[in-house]
């Protein structure tokens, strides 16, 4: 049976590759609060004449309509499954169903019919986010949030489960929502803030899972226990909570290995591991994580003292990245992170182009040897899309130099560079006054202060999606500062401000610090550029920033990629590798 499906996958894949017109190859090849209902008459808006210059080439996006959170990613019988929040009726949030696609490599996708749609009293007004757990005997089960009434806004929330109709179907095309749903109901104080159940883990004879919530402005990850996955009891205490952080959406709780890059299964609780708790904060529309210890005796999570447990804490991504979810991939012993990037264009522009939202390239995630942060890197399968390559070595970038990287499709590319410098002397002083700035995102505050002013050691990096005369560009760069105790602080920024002449789009600057030892006098940068998205990885994935941008001139073959240095210290590009990126055989 599996062999038949696998054959079918590749037959379909090859056919579609041969006939690009069938998919979006020919089409070329953040962040906002929602749960808001839009009244848009899509029939009155024609998308036919909209030039689709912002559609991505190699990111996951369906042919049309609105997309948000990735849901229940999992690996089952040879296929990766991705479900996601989807509006089948338009390019704005609403009418949410669980769309479903399957893949052999998380790059080429086959769309299937929606797996879960509102149909029963327990999910009549919406099937919101949730997760998959693989029960013993390789039996997947989905936990998801059902909306049972429109009031109180944004909806009355319960937790449901769904199971495959046919376990022998590796594509898991049919899902059953049993009539004993809902299996978890809210308490009276949080009926409209009680959602997004996690993947469950097993210990002490029970399955455990958390549900995101808030009480007043205290963010909460409630802990539930069950012996049979059907009857769930709320623990007297929370798994974790924190005052003044507002609603915790899409919590994710999982173990990471203390050493190496391999992932560990969600129920692994002992033997050289730490735990990660990530929450998506509805108040800021950014995600934060801490690294800590799961005390299995107390059934409670404690962040390490080195992990800031608040808005100034660590983020997977300091840019447009939300509602993420990880899963353990048993086929390759790794933990994979999926995240959603919203549009930064206006709702009217989204409706006109007929789609909104993309899933970012899945990233392998592991614990940094310091134990203080995670590291992320695009899955290795992405390399299969690399086409024509350009390589440069030992390119000197003096103060003010801008050097074009020619010979690749700059609007759809993968670029990696190692920058070196002979001395740290030129690094500017890290102003002690900056420590008084609001700490929610200090890096961003500093980025705003230094602006485009020339520095000492940096800023240097890439000008992505740049127009010929630099009327538009999205700079991704690094800049080094010297602190009073003679240490260094490295700032990484991705700045959408100069990205577009269209001033109606949201063009935020994003920034984070990169925690790196500079004794080798080297810094690495990678960007995945794809028409309207730039995903950048500082120092091998220690700091990641995603920007959504909408250039008006730097589109398709009119886009350019440059290396630049705007600091007094000469920078050497020790090595640059840049590839044109091909389109996958997308069928979404
Ligand atoms: N999106 C879902 C919710 C979740 C939010 C609704 C996060 O379940 O809290 O589409 O983006």
């Amino acid at each position: 049976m599996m062999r038949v499906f696998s054959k079918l996958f590749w037959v379909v894949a090859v056919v579609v590759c041969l006939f690009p017109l069938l998919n979006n190859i020919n089409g070329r090849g953040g962040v906002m609060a929602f749960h808001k209902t839009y009244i848009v008459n899509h029939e009155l808006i024609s998308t036919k004449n909209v030039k689709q210059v912002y559609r991505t080439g190699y990111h996951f996006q369906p042919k049309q309509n609105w997309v948000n959170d990735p849901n229940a990613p999992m690996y089952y019988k040879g296929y990766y499954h991705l479900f996601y929040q989807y509006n089948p009726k338009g390019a704005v949030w609403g009418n949410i169903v669980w769309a479903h696609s399957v893949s052999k490599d998380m790059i080429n996708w086959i769309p299937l019919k929606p797996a879960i749609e509102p149909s029963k009293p327990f999910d009549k007004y919406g099937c919101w986010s949730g997760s998959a757990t693989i029960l013993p005997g390789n039996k997947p089960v989905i936990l998801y949030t059902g909306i049972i009434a429109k009031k109180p806004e944004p909806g009355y929330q319960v937790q449901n489960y769904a199971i495959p109709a046919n376990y022998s179907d590796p594509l898991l095309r049919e899902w059953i929502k049993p009539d004993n749903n809902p299996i978890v109901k809210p308490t009276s104080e949080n009926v409209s803030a009680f959602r997004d159940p996690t993947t469950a883990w097993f210990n002490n004879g029970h399955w455990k899972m958390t549900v995101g919530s808030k009480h007043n402005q205290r963010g909460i990850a409630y802990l539930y226990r069950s012996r049979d996955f059907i009857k769930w009891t709320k623990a007297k205490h929370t798994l974790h909570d924190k005052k003044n952080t507002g609603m915790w959406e899409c919590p994710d709780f999982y173990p990471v290995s203390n050493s190496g890059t391999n992932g560990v299964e969600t129920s692994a609780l002992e033997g050289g591991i730490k735990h990660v708790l990530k929450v998506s904060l509805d108040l800021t529309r950014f995600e934060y994580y801490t690294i800590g210890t799961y005390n299995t005796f107390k059934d409670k999570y404690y962040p390490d003292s080195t992990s800031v447990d608040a808005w100034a804490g660590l983020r997977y991504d300091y840019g447009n990245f939300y509602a993420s979810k990880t899963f353990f991939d048993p086929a390759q012993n790794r933990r994979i992170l999926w995240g959603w990037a919203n549009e930064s264009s206006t709702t009217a522009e989204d409706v006109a182009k007929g789609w909104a939202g993309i899933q970012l390239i899945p990233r392998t995630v592991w614990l940094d040897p310091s134990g203080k942060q995670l590291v992320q890197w695009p899955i290795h399968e992405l390399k299969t899309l690399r086409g024509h390559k350009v390589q440069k070595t030992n390119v000197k970038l003096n103060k003010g130099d801008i050097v074009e990287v020619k010979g690749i499709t700059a609007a759809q590319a993968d670029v990696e560079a190692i920058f070196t410098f002979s001395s740290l002397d030129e690094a500017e002083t890290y102003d002690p006054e900056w420590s008084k700035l609001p700490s929610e995102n200090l890096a961003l505050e500093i980025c705003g202060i230094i602006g485009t002013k020339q520095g000492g050691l940096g800023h240097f990096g890439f000008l992505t999606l740049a127009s010929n005369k630099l009327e538009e560009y999205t700079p991704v760069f690094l800049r080094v500062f010297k602190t009073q105790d003679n240490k260094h602080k490295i700032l990484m920024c991705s700045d959408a401000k100069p990205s577009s002449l269209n001033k109606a789009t949201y063009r935020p600057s994003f920034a984070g610090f990169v925690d790196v030892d500079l004794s080798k006098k080297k810094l690495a940068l990678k960007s995945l550029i794809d028409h309207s998205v730039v995903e950048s990885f500082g120092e091998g994935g220690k700091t990641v920033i995603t920007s959504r941008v909408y250039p008006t001139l730097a589109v398709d073959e009119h886009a350019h990629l440059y290396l630049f240095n705007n600091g007094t210290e000469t920078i050497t590009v020790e090595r640059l590798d840049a590839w044109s990126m091909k389109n996958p055989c997308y069928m979404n």
Side-chain angles (χ1 to χ4, degrees):
M1 191 71 151
M2 253 178 75
R3 284 228 314 270
V4 174
F5 283 122
S6 150
K7 248 192 191 159
L8 181 73
F9 175 95
W10 290 116
V11 168
V12 176
V14 168
V15 168
V16 172
C17 276
L18 288 174
F19 296 98
L21 276 176
L22 291 178
N23 63 22
N24 61 31
I25 290 172
N26 230 25
R28 304 150 0 253
V31 194
M32 59 159 226
F34 61 104
H35 296 153
K36 176 174 155 192
T37 310
Y38 292 86
I39 302 165
V40 178
N41 187 345
H42 286 87
E43 269 125 51
L44 294 180
I45 300 161
S46 164
T47 61
K48 275 200 208 107
N49 297 324
V50 178
K51 218 177 151 210
Q52 291 290 353
V53 286
Y54 303 128
R55 233 187 127 71
T56 60
Y58 60 94
H59 281 73
F60 181 102
Q61 60 174 131
K63 275 208 180 84
Q64 56 192 22
N65 297 336
W66 167 272
V67 169
N68 60 296
D69 319 356
N71 291 151
M74 68 169 137
Y75 179 81
Y76 185 67
K77 295 192 173 175
Y79 287 89
Y80 293 99
H81 291 252
L82 180 68
F83 306 85
Y84 55 96
Q85 299 275 285
Y86 178 66
N87 179 358
K89 296 186 182 158
V92 295
W93 184 84
N95 317 300
I96 293 295
V97 304
W98 276 47
H100 182 195
S101 291
V102 290
S103 169
K104 283 268 174 193
D105 57 8
M106 289 186 273
I107 300 293
N108 298 282
W109 291 92
I110 302 178
L112 302 174
K113 73 175 171 75
I116 307 177
E117 294 175 282
S119 66
K120 303 261 185 163
F122 52 79
D123 63 9
K124 198 168 161 187
Y125 295 103
C127 298
W128 289 13
S129 286
S131 312
T133 304
I134 311 286
L135 297 181
N138 201 20
K139 295 208 152 58
V141 54
I142 281 172
L143 294 173
Y144 72 99
T145 298
I147 306 298
I148 61 169
K150 283 188 176 163
K151 294 265 164 65
E153 282 178 357
Y156 193 116
Q157 299 160 20
V158 298
Q159 315 314 323
N160 300 321
Y161 76 109
I163 49 173
N166 177 7
Y167 290 102
S168 63
D169 174 10
L171 303 188
L172 298 172
R173 280 171 288 198
E174 299 288 338
W175 287 80
I176 297 168
K177 303 182 295 186
D179 284 331
N180 56 353
N181 275 308
I183 47 171
V184 181
K185 291 182 184 158
T187 52
S188 57
E189 73 263 13
N190 60 17
V191 296
S192 60
F194 182 64
R195 55 184 181 266
D196 310 335
T198 60
T199 295
W201 64 97
F202 190 79
N203 82 319
N204 291 338
H206 286 85
W207 287 100
K208 318 271 171 85
M209 59 111 171
T210 84
V211 179
S213 187
K214 69 169 176 183
H215 184 49
N216 298 325
Q217 276 314 318
R218 178 175 284 276
I220 300 172
Y222 282 117
L223 176 68
Y224 282 82
R225 301 188 182 104
S226 172
R227 284 194 185 277
D228 60 2
F229 224 87
I230 304 291
K231 188 171 175 301
W232 291 87
T233 310
K234 188 167 148 195
K236 288 206 175 69
H237 58 80
T238 64
L239 179 72
H240 190 54
D241 53 87
K242 182 84 188 172
K243 67 178 182 191
N244 295 332
T245 50
M247 175 66 198
W248 284 8
E249 297 189 309
C250 302
D252 197 11
F253 183 60
Y254 58 91
V256 281
S257 170
N258 267 333
S259 56
T261 56
N262 279 353
V264 277
E265 211 275 318
T266 310
S267 287
L269 296 169
E270 276 150 20
I273 56 161
K274 299 288 298 178
H275 267 79
V276 176
L277 177 64
K278 181 279 301 185
V279 293
S280 309
L281 291 196
D282 196 24
L283 284 182
T284 64
R285 307 302 289 171
F286 286 117
E287 300 200 309
Y288 303 82
Y289 72 85
T290 51
I291 293 167
T293 304
Y294 174 45
N295 182 323
T296 50
F297 182 68
K298 291 190 176 156
D299 234 353
K300 190 124 183 111
Y301 170 74
Y302 297 97
D304 288 349
S305 58
T306 48
S307 247
V308 176
D309 188 16
W311 296 2
L314 294 162
R315 299 188 197 166
Y316 286 141
D317 192 307
Y318 290 82
N320 188 334
F321 186 93
Y322 197 69
S324 72
K325 196 167 292 293
T326 64
F327 77 104
F328 174 66
D329 170 14
Q332 293 190 45
N333 270 327
R334 55 187 175 170
R335 186 161 284 272
I336 305 284
L337 169 69
W338 277 100
W340 159 57
N342 198 359
E343 299 304 304
S344 293
S345 42
T346 63
T347 301
E349 284 163 337
D350 294 345
V351 171
K353 68 190 185 341
W355 57 271
I358 59 170
Q359 305 297 349
L360 294 168
I361 298 298
R363 305 169 182 172
T364 307
V365 60
W366 67 93
L367 187 65
D368 183 66
S370 69
K372 289 192 198 150
Q373 68 159 102
L374 298 170
V375 185
Q376 303 155 66
W377 198 248
I379 53 166
H380 66 81
E381 289 87 340
L382 186 67
K383 290 183 187 168
T384 59
L385 297 181
R386 285 175 172 172
H388 181 66
K389 178 177 175 178
V390 165
Q391 192 178 71
K392 287 174 184 278
T393 48
N394 293 322
V395 181
K396 288 260 176 291
L397 296 175
N398 292 317
K399 181 180 77 180
D401 279 356
I402 298 179
V403 174
E404 181 160 10
V405 179
K406 290 190 176 154
I408 54 157
T409 54
Q412 194 171 315
D414 177 357
V415 53
E416 294 181 355
I418 297 170
F419 299 94
T420 64
F421 33 89
S422 53
S423 151
L424 288 157
D425 294 347
E426 293 286 307
E428 299 146 89
T429 306
Y430 185 85
D431 188 342
E433 287 293 306
W434 290 344
S435 57
K436 297 184 192 145
L437 293 167
S439 61
E440 279 94 63
N441 191 346
L442 190 56
L444 186 57
E445 297 285 338
I446 298 169
C447 213
I449 292 170
I450 58 169
T452 51
K453 275 186 288 203
Q454 190 177 70
L457 187 41
H459 37 293
F460 56 84
F462 307 138
L463 299 181
T464 68
L465 294 171
S467 59
N468 195 14
K469 294 190 181 136
L470 294 181
E471 300 93 333
E472 296 180 327
Y473 55 95
T474 301
V476 180
F477 60 85
L478 297 156
R479 185 150 165 165
V480 180
F481 294 91
K482 202 181 327 175
T483 56
Q484 279 182 322
D485 52 359
N486 231 5
K487 294 202 173 114
H488 293 93
K489 267 206 171 290
I490 295 100
L491 190 66
M492 173 174 162
C493 305
S494 175
D495 192 0
K497 273 206 182 63
S499 63
S500 176
L501 295 176
N502 175 1
K503 302 299 176 212
T505 61
Y506 176 49
R507 290 167 293 110
S509 310
F510 291 125
F513 291 113
V514 195
D515 186 11
V516 53
D517 166 21
L518 279 185
S519 56
K520 289 200 181 123
K521 302 195 183 71
K522 266 184 201 215
L523 280 168
L525 195 60
K526 172 185 180 76
S527 287
L528 296 173
I529 304 159
D530 197 2
H531 300 277
S532 62
V533 61
V534 182
E535 282 186 75
S536 302
F537 299 78
E539 196 55 22
K542 289 191 108 181
T543 302
V544 186
I545 310 182
T546 297
S547 292
R548 296 300 310 277
V549 290
Y550 307 89
T552 59
L553 306 169
V555 297
D556 294 336
E557 65 280 10
H558 304 295
H560 300 261
L561 171 69
Y562 299 93
L563 294 160
F564 82 101
N565 176 20
N566 196 23
T568 47
E569 171 76 29
T570 296
I571 302 293
T572 302
V573 183
E574 187 181 274
R575 184 182 166 134
L576 170 117
D577 296 285
W579 295 264
S580 294
M581 290 296 273
K582 296 179 273 188
N583 284 49
C585 302
Y586 257 33
M587 285 156 272
N588 278 295

